[in-house]
Amino acid sequence: MALENSVFPSRPDSLALPVEEKGEGEEVEVATEATASAGVFNLSEELGHVVTTETVPSPPATAKVSRSFQAKLAEREAQANQHRKKTPGPEKERGRFGWARARRKRQRYVEKNGRCNVQHGNMRETYRYLTDIFTTLVDLNWRCSLFVFVMAYAVTWLFFGAIWYLIAYCRGDLDHLEDETWTPCVNNVNGFISAFLFSIETETTIGYGHRVITDQCPVGTMLLLLQAILGSMVNAFMVGCMFVKISQPNKRAETLVFSKHAVISLRDDKLCLMFRVGDLRSSHIVGANMRAKLIRSKQTQEGEFIPLDQTDISVGFETGDDRLFLVSPLVISHEIDTHSPFWDMSQSQLEKEDFEIVVILEGMVEATGMTCQARSSYLTEEVLWGHRFSPMMLLAEGFFDIDYGAFHHTFEVNTPSCSARDLSVAAARLDAHLYWSISSRLDEEPTLTNQASKQPDSGTANSKGGEAKFTVGEMTDIQEQSGQGELNGSVATDQSESET
């Protein structure tokens, strides 16, 4: 950062691109190539120092180019980014024989899209799913749901169609199809297909009028009532399942977005863990509430190993900051204090940790009134130390403009690399040093009591004139000399006696 601040903002004209001019073009070209190959630029005498940078040799320009301020600024940023890329990163962990060992990528507990990466196996009590058949059908995927929906109607139609055909066969209606004097149970039922169509007409209450039950068949009348009742129940159950499945607010969570990275930086002189959340829809989430969990392995003092221990991360539950008014994107902040699990974690220790931060946003959808939940997570490498989110709100004419192009963008800021505990201890030591330095200086100053002992007459005159002088720190000296702390009262009594 020091190299960037010292070189690029105040770069003299001698660092510009090589320019060929008439007469002295060859000398300028040779000098530029020499300095580019060496990687050293000697600045003007006014700067008084020499800066060494790594540069890539570029071919000299054939003509003089007049560049704008934006082009120069873009070039400086490109050179600065190139310098950062060449900066060596932290060393990789070494194995037993000194070989570089790649860090094992942590398995996510919650995916970035909110899906929980957990599968249940070896479940023997599968009958419990049938006790709540409605929820089981709603939780099925769309292929299974559509298959169950179609099969529910097809099976009932086929079942009652087979019963209608069996009744016609047992009564002998199929043997008297041409006999006009014969009264069948159902008119115009001459086979299984016609019985199946009559079953569909009965259950769906279509009633074309061509096939109709007669009053000479009491068994058919009872079956008609039974099919009408069971058909209504099947219709209500399946339509209800499909309606609940369609109106589920799971897809509403697709428009609730979280930032790709979480950042740690100072906010009001305190280290804070921050992430950003936003809503892409114009219909808002009512009663939005934010929660956060820390997922990492833990071993108790008794030796018990807990593989996925969950620890609450406070995001303002005590102050009410966890209840959001999510009209525009918000930055959720977790203050790293003594109750935080990151209290003893520094920047170097953060790179070695293996944890996952799960963030949960809950609220009620304004359009449907159903509760919605959006989830995301951040691994250790997705937590950036010393970064801050870029602002994305602009004041336009009559409204606030939100630029979602900068939603995931962060930039570096000056942040101490020590832990929050060490930062708090350093701040306490600084306050104690200032306190004792100020008190020692105050003790060295002369007090009012010492001046009164040396000049009693002037002190009496000042007291008669009604003017009182106070010096910082004199109360301690007065209390030590008076014994009872009533020196002012005794002085007033002596003055009254002298006046009388």
Side-chain angles (χ1 to χ4, degrees), residues 103-141:
R103 184 176 180 180
R104 182 180 60 86
K105 187 177 180 181
R106 178 184 172 89
Q107 183 69 35
R108 284 187 179 274
Y109 188 64
V110 177
E111 300 290 342
K112 296 293 286 186
N113 57 1
R115 185 181 65 86
C116 297
N117 194 14
V118 177
Q119 294 183 0
H120 302 280
N122 196 19
M123 294 181 298
R124 300 180 180 180
E125 298 179 355
T126 55
Y127 65 91
R128 295 181 180 273
Y129 288 98
L130 299 177
T131 58
D132 189 9
I133 187 63
F134 185 83
T135 306
T136 302
L137 293 177
V138 171
D139 291 339
L140 293 176
N141 53 32

Side-chain angles (χ1 to χ4, degrees), residues 85 230 232 248 259 316 333:
K85 290 179 181 179
L230 292 180
S232 300
Q248 274 185 331
S259 58
S333 176

Side-chain angles (χ1 to χ4, degrees), residues 140 298 303 343 346:
L140 293 176
K298 177 184 177 182
W343 175 245
S346 61

